[in-house]
Amino acid sequence: MSVFIVLLGAPGAGKGTQAKILSQKTGLPQISTGDIFREHLKNQTELGKLAQQYMSKGELVPDDVTVAMVRERLSRPDCKRGAILDGFPRTPAQAEALDVMLAEMGGKVGVVPFIKVPEDELVERLSGRLICRAQGHIFHKKFNPPKVPGICDYDGSELYQREDDRPEVVRNRIRVYLEQTMPLVSYYREKGVLVEIDGTQPIEKVTEAIWAALPEEVKHA
Ligand code: ADP
Ligand code: AMP
């Protein structure tokens, strides 16, 4: 049976940072719906242009569009063992759709690390976040700076600030998270798969805490 890890947490909690580390350690692919939408936007596809209308305001892309995109992604051969989901699901309807898709594939949600960070720290993290143009590697001006300012440590590409990390948009993203995504905490708690993680610790400590909660079968790359 394939095992899926759902990283849950507010914007800026550290989902993308942890997903990249866990993907390397487990060999499972990272599936970030935000990254996929940004890739579509970069390539100016119809989906990218549609998603941008919501992303620029900090709103969620409609469930039907997002679920169809994830369904296609999960059907690829690299998801046979499972995957690390980062930024999906984000609404109860998406969580229910995920359960149906995984049941069809003979998979399950193995664990849901819920990375908790207080709101004022989220704002500080997002306002200093830097992303690499080539592959979306994540840095922070103060908390996780690149070795050379403005340049990605891993592939040498340029670092940029996401347009939706501007303070006005960040406030709306956090509001949307509280209203639409927070209900997933009780959804997964009731299923017995939620594990609370203190996201205010240093990056390595957060990884250790998540690692301790992972099912044994995903720990072997
Ligand atoms: P998310 O994917 O949940 O929106 P990110 O992984 O992009 O969050 O992290 C948001 C910002 O916070 C990034 O700039 C990242 O470098 C930084 N960050 C991530 N984890 C930590 C941590 N444990 N402590 C301090 N800063 C962190
Ligand atoms: P992220 O990179 O996870 O911060 O996502 C950036 C933006 O992409 C969000 O603010 C949404 O507009 C959109 N997005 C990403 N994932 C989803 C999702 N699961 N459902 C709806 N919209 C999403």
Side-chain angles (χ1 to χ4, degrees), residues 33-34 37-38 54-55 59-61 66 87-88 90 94 162 164 173:
T33 40
F37 287 134
R38 279 185 290 279
Y54 299 91
M55 294 170 82
E59 300 291 334
L60 295 183
V61 178
T66 306
F88 181 90
R90 252 175 159 102
Q94 291 181 12
R162 270 171 52 176
D164 61 346
R173 286 164 62 204

Side-chain angles (χ1 to χ4, degrees), residues 8-19 30 32 38 86-87 90 115 117 121-122 124-131 138-145 162 165 173 198-206:
L8 195 58
K15 301 181 298 296
T17 300
Q18 296 299 328
Q30 170 192 5
S32 158
R38 279 185 290 279
D86 153 23
R90 252 175 159 102
I115 309 177
V117 172
E121 196 165 333
L122 296 173
E124 202 184 351
R125 285 188 185 186
L126 294 175
S127 63
R129 172 157 70 180
L130 298 168
I131 306 285
I138 304 164
F139 297 87
H140 191 281
K141 285 179 186 168
K142 201 158 93 188
F143 305 136
N144 184 23
R162 270 171 52 176
D165 279 346
R173 286 164 62 204
D198 173 6
T200 64
Q201 308 172 86
I203 291 171
E204 311 74 53
K205 293 281 172 207
V206 176

Side-chain angles (χ1 to χ4, degrees), residues 14-213:
K15 301 181 298 296
T17 300
Q18 296 299 328
K20 285 194 161 49
I21 298 170
L22 294 170
S23 172
Q24 276 211 320
K25 282 169 73 91
T26 59
L28 297 176
Q30 170 192 5
I31 299 181
S32 158
T33 40
D35 282 354
I36 303 175
F37 287 134
R38 279 185 290 279
E39 190 62 28
H40 273 279
L41 181 64
K42 196 161 86 181
N43 298 328
Q44 285 293 300
T45 68
E46 287 309 311
L47 175 58
K49 287 183 225 166
L50 174 83
Q52 171 66 0
Q53 295 172 21
Y54 299 91
M55 294 170 82
S56 63
K57 291 182 282 194
E59 300 291 334
L60 295 183
V61 178
D63 285 336
D64 55 346
V65 175
T66 306
V67 168
M69 184 178 83
V70 172
R71 177 182 287 280
E72 187 282 320
R73 180 65 188 85
L74 293 179
S75 71
R76 298 199 204 159
D78 64 339
C79 294
K80 263 207 172 72
R81 279 181 60 224
I84 296 163
L85 302 181
D86 153 23
F88 181 90
R90 252 175 159 102
T91 64
Q94 291 181 12
E96 283 159 20
L98 176 66
D99 285 342
V100 172
M101 292 189 279
L102 295 188
E104 284 167 10
M105 310 169 49
K108 64 169 184 188
V109 173
V111 65
V112 180
F114 171 37
I115 309 177
K116 292 173 73 173
V117 172
E119 193 167 329
D120 47 353
E121 196 165 333
L122 296 173
V123 175
E124 202 184 351
R125 285 188 185 186
L126 294 175
S127 63
R129 172 157 70 180
L130 298 168
I131 306 285
C132 113
R133 284 258 180 241
Q135 297 184 67
H137 292 115
I138 304 164
F139 297 87
H140 191 281
K141 285 179 186 168
K142 201 158 93 188
F143 305 136
N144 184 23
K147 292 195 183 85
V148 180
I151 304 288
C152 177
D153 290 0
Y154 306 102
D155 57 33
S157 74
E158 178 204 14
L159 300 179
Y160 73 100
Q161 276 195 285
R162 270 171 52 176
E163 211 225 320
D164 61 346
D165 279 346
R166 284 178 293 126
E168 321 83 86
V169 187
V170 162
R171 274 192 290 277
N172 195 41
R173 286 164 62 204
I174 294 174
R175 187 186 61 74
V176 165
Y177 165 78
L178 293 173
E179 282 175 12
Q180 302 195 48
T181 309
M182 271 300 265
L184 297 188
V185 172
S186 37
Y187 181 85
Y188 286 120
R189 187 177 281 132
E190 279 159 27
K191 289 183 181 285
V193 286
L194 193 87
V195 179
E196 294 197 14
I197 304 287
D198 173 6
T200 64
Q201 308 172 86
I203 291 171
E204 311 74 53
K205 293 281 172 207
V206 176
T207 306
E208 277 173 30
I210 298 175
W211 192 255

